[in-house]
Amino acid sequence: MENKVTNIMIVGVGGQGALLASKTLGQVLLDAGYDVKVSEVHGMSQRGGSVVTYVRYGKKVYSPIIDKGEADYIVSFELLEAARYTDYLKKGGRIVVNTQQIDPMPVITGAAQYPQDLVEKMTEAAFKVDAMDCLSLAKEAGTAKSVNIVLMGRLSKYMDFPEEAWLKAIEKLVKPQFLEMNKKAFALGRV
């Protein structure tokens, strides 16, 4: 049997919940019996800095690192971060992206402008792009902090794991007082 390894990058800005997203995804994969490697968060994880986490799974996985051109999925908390990492996506790969825009420091200081029409540019570059306003959905679920779980809900549409497996992972990782909000956020992302 071929050892197919699936590669997922979770990218965003520090403070958005990339760690919980990668833990949730990793838990779903472990529960399904896969060998899973999850990298630590790389980058400036303080609020405002670019962060990236790699999640790789298969029958046997030897390294947590994803090289350029190898990612099956990029899950992005922010538009510019999605565009920044498109060279990691393999041909036929998919980008699941929150349409929120967070100005990086060069834009804040006036040294640069936030790039426009990023979804259109990524689509024109022949990437499969699923862009949605995850922040509004997270607020609808009860807290802006659940953007990460909205994104996991959206990613779950493209993966062959039952909804119950994702909800079970969320139950394991989310504090009881936030569980119902996060389940709602997952459901809104999965629509």
Side-chain angles (χ1 to χ4, degrees), residues 31-185:
D31 290 348
Y34 286 100
D35 184 22
V36 181
K37 298 289 187 276
V38 178
S39 74
E40 296 294 322
V41 174
H42 298 282
M44 295 295 293
S45 56
Q46 293 88 356
R47 292 194 182 275
S50 180
V51 297
V52 60
T53 302
Y54 305 125
V55 179
R56 303 184 73 221
Y57 72 96
K59 185 177 171 188
K60 184 67 186 153
V61 180
Y62 296 97
S63 167
I65 304 301
I66 299 171
D67 290 324
K68 290 182 179 182
E70 289 186 348
D72 295 281
Y73 300 93
I74 292 176
V75 178
S76 182
F77 285 73
E78 197 271 343
L79 271 173
L80 187 56
E81 293 302 315
R84 184 186 315 258
Y85 289 101
T86 55
D87 54 343
Y88 281 84
L89 201 63
K90 69 170 48 168
K91 192 174 188 125
R94 177 172 300 279
I95 300 170
V96 176
V97 60
N98 176 17
T99 56
Q100 183 179 2
Q101 296 182 12
I102 299 173
D103 290 343
M105 195 52 68
V107 173
I108 292 170
T109 63
Q113 288 190 344
Y114 196 98
Q116 298 301 304
D117 306 317
L118 289 173
V119 171
E120 292 81 3
K121 288 175 183 171
M122 288 186 287
T123 303
E124 287 169 7
F127 296 116
K128 295 178 191 169
V129 181
D130 183 349
M132 62 189 285
D133 183 355
C134 298
L135 181 58
S136 291
L137 294 173
K139 288 176 181 176
E140 184 181 331
T143 176
K145 292 182 178 182
S146 64
V147 165
N148 51 3
I149 302 300
V150 172
L151 280 164
M152 289 298 96
R154 197 58 172 191
L155 176 65
S156 74
K157 289 182 61 161
Y158 301 106
M159 301 185 77
D160 291 330
F161 301 102
E163 183 175 356
E164 297 75 36
W166 293 87
L167 294 173
K168 184 178 162 192
I170 291 167
E171 288 169 2
K172 285 182 181 178
L173 297 167
V174 172
K175 291 179 182 174
Q177 64 265 35
F178 304 117
L179 191 54
E180 288 311 309
M181 277 190 291
N182 280 280
K183 284 182 173 180
K184 185 174 180 183

Side-chain angles (χ1 to χ4, degrees), residues 4-23:
K4 180 187 180 318
V5 175
T6 301
N7 300 305
I8 303 166
M9 291 179 67
I10 299 174
V11 302
V13 174
Q16 288 188 296
L19 189 58
L20 179 59
S22 62
K23 283 182 175 180

